[in-house]
Amino acid sequence: MEGKIHVLIPEEKVQARLDELAAQINADYEGKQIHLICVLKGGVFAACELAKRITLPLTMDFMSVSSYGDATVSSGLVRIVKDLDEPIENKHVLIAEDIIDSGNTLHHLLEILTSRRPADIQICTLLDKPDRRTAQVEVKYTGFSIPDKFVIGCGLDYKQLYRNLPYVGVIE
């Protein structure tokens, strides 16, 4: 994938939307402690930015689930690369994702986490591609709905590159 990068969502809009999402989360979880689960690798950028803005008691854990490999579309095969370090029973779990595409990976992840009996589970994603959805998942907090384009930046990669871009872009 070579070419010029077109900015789809500039850094300023990403940061402003993260502020808004955190404000909504702070209001919704008032009086509660949040257990933020970051879905690695891409989710770490949005999860850390979100965590800095959450003013409530917060614990974090990390999980890595893959269905892409080096491809630009999901293979549909989901594998757990890294499981959680802490139990989530009776915790208010908030899953932080970089992007929801088909929803298959997240659907599988929700089945696994729900079986561990948290108090509740909600999903926060920076980006959503609703046109690609093949598995039903309920997303409570969405940063941006985007068209069906392969995007990079803000944690999203192509062959592990471009994650560190502060904006969401498309390679033309």
Side-chain angles (χ1 to χ4, degrees), residues 93-159:
V93 172
L94 179 61
I95 299 172
E97 273 278 22
D98 53 353
I99 190 167
I100 301 175
D101 196 302
S102 69
N104 291 327
T105 302
L106 191 53
H107 180 78
H108 180 74
L109 180 59
L110 283 169
E111 286 179 350
I112 293 168
L113 295 179
T114 300
S115 73
R116 298 177 185 183
R117 301 187 323 222
D120 56 66
I121 298 179
Q122 297 298 335
I123 300 165
C124 180
T125 186
L126 180 61
L127 303 173
D128 187 16
K129 286 187 189 177
D131 293 342
R132 300 265 308 151
R133 194 81 77 250
T134 58
Q136 186 59 35
V137 291
E138 185 178 329
V139 181
K140 183 152 186 179
Y141 308 101
T142 300
F144 301 93
S145 289
I146 62 169
D148 185 13
K149 295 182 183 265
F150 187 79
V151 291
I152 55 172
C154 294
L156 297 149
D157 73 295
Y158 176 68
K159 294 187 178 181

Side-chain angles (χ1 to χ4, degrees), residues 16-89:
R17 186 65 183 129
L18 285 166
D19 289 342
E20 294 168 357
L21 289 171
Q24 186 62 52
I25 291 165
N26 287 327
D28 291 350
Y29 284 89
E30 186 175 352
K32 298 177 183 173
Q33 179 173 315
I34 298 172
H35 188 68
L36 187 66
I37 294 178
C38 171
V39 181
L40 298 171
K41 293 179 184 172
V44 74
F45 291 81
C48 288
E49 289 297 320
L50 193 62
K52 289 191 290 188
R53 292 165 167 85
I54 293 174
T55 57
L56 304 168
L58 176 96
T59 56
M60 287 183 76
D61 206 344
F62 301 86
M63 189 170 205
S64 182
V65 183
S66 177
S67 68
Y68 280 80
D70 285 341
T72 60
V73 294
S74 176
S75 67
L77 301 172
V78 177
R79 67 184 178 97
I80 295 175
V81 179
K82 184 214 175 295
D83 206 342
L84 299 174
D85 294 328
E86 302 286 326
I88 61 170
E89 187 171 354

